[in-house]
């Protein structure tokens, strides 16, 4: 019931659809218990099982979900104590940074269909995420000041990306042929 209430009042507004999948898995594993019966040990054992099949990062996302649910339950007066308080997140490996080589870029661009080539070029020139590119509107591009403004990003903050001349030319040509508010 707590998971359903959490989803109804808060969860459905989370940006990532993976939260719903995670909530369902938590329901499957803990749905038979009352909120105040779930212990720190139960949650730690669950997160350890996640680490075995996935990664420390994934287990940390589940722990974050538990923390959010139990914190809401405290605010709603359902429970008095959050069993996740004394559970620490696992140490996540540092992210790997990799850039495409010039040869890889040439092969990628030569393999692109002409319909997706502008999208791929946008990604290469800006580092924008797929979702950011596909949600981009013409009103987000300031051709005069050479800036792209990304709204509602993954971090929840606006980002500003410089518009390089090659990309500006590509976008201006696309805009001439466009009959939509969306760039792509």
């Amino acid at each position: 019931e707590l998971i359903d209430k959490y989803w109804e009042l808060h969860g459905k507004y989370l940006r990532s659809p993976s939260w719903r999948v995670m909530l369902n898995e938590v329901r499957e594993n803990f749905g038979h218990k009352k909120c105040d019966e779930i212990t720190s040990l139960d949650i730690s054992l669950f997160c350890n099982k996640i680490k075995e099949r996935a990664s420390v990062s994934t287990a940390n996302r589940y722990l974050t979900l538990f923390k959010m649910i139990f914190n809401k339950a405290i605010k709603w007066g359902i429970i008095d104590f959050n069993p996740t308080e004394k559970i620490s997140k696992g140490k996540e490996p540092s992210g790997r940074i990799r850039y495409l080589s010039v040869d890889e870029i040439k092969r990628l661009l030569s393999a692109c269909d002409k319909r997706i080539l502008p999208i791929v070029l946008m990604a290469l020139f800006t580092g924008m995420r797929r979702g950011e590119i596909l949600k981009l509107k013409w009103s987000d591009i300031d051709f005069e000041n050479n800036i792209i403004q990304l709204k509602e990003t993954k971090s929840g903050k606006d980002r500003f990306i410089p518009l390089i001349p090659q990309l500006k030319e590509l976008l201006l040509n696309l805009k001439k042929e466009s009959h939509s508010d969306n760039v792509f």
Side-chain angles (χ1 to χ4, degrees), residues 2-3 6 23 26 64-74 76 79 82:
L2 175 60
I3 288 173
Y6 179 82
L23 279 168
V26 170
T64 298
L65 178 62
F66 276 109
K67 286 178 188 256
M68 291 188 306
I69 291 170
F70 283 114
N71 283 335
K72 288 290 183 189
I74 290 170
W76 296 332
I79 58 173
N82 186 335

Side-chain angles (χ1 to χ4, degrees), residues 6-128:
Y6 179 82
W7 180 257
E8 178 188 328
L9 298 175
H10 182 70
K12 64 184 175 185
Y13 302 108
L14 297 172
R15 292 182 191 276
S16 172
S18 61
W19 289 112
R20 174 168 248 170
V21 173
M22 293 168 64
L23 279 168
N24 287 335
E25 188 171 358
V26 170
R27 180 185 293 112
E28 287 172 19
N29 284 272
F30 292 92
H32 63 283
K33 287 189 163 198
K34 291 185 177 184
C35 300
D36 58 359
E37 294 174 348
I38 299 172
T39 66
S40 297
L41 178 62
D42 294 330
I43 296 168
S44 293
L45 291 171
F46 176 80
C47 288
N48 285 343
K49 286 181 185 174
I50 299 295
K51 286 179 201 173
E52 289 172 9
R53 73 156 207 258
S55 68
V56 173
S57 300
T58 301
N60 285 344
R61 300 300 88 67
Y62 276 93
L63 181 57
T64 298
L65 178 62
F66 276 109
K67 286 178 188 256
M68 291 188 306
I69 291 170
F70 283 114
N71 283 335
K72 288 290 183 189
I74 290 170
K75 286 181 182 176
W76 296 332
I78 297 170
I79 58 173
D80 297 320
F81 173 75
N82 186 335
T84 64
E85 278 183 12
K86 295 185 179 178
I87 303 174
S88 298
K89 288 184 178 180
K91 182 166 174 48
E92 296 185 23
S94 58
R96 185 181 84 162
I97 297 177
R98 182 183 179 287
Y99 301 98
L100 295 178
S101 69
V102 173
D103 183 54
E104 288 172 319
I105 292 171
K106 287 178 184 176
R107 287 187 288 139
L108 172 64
L109 295 177
S110 69
C112 282
D113 182 276
K114 68 179 181 177
R115 292 173 296 166
I116 67 160
L117 184 62
I119 295 171
V120 173
L121 287 169
M122 175 71 89
L124 286 171
F125 286 141
T126 65
M128 290 170 59

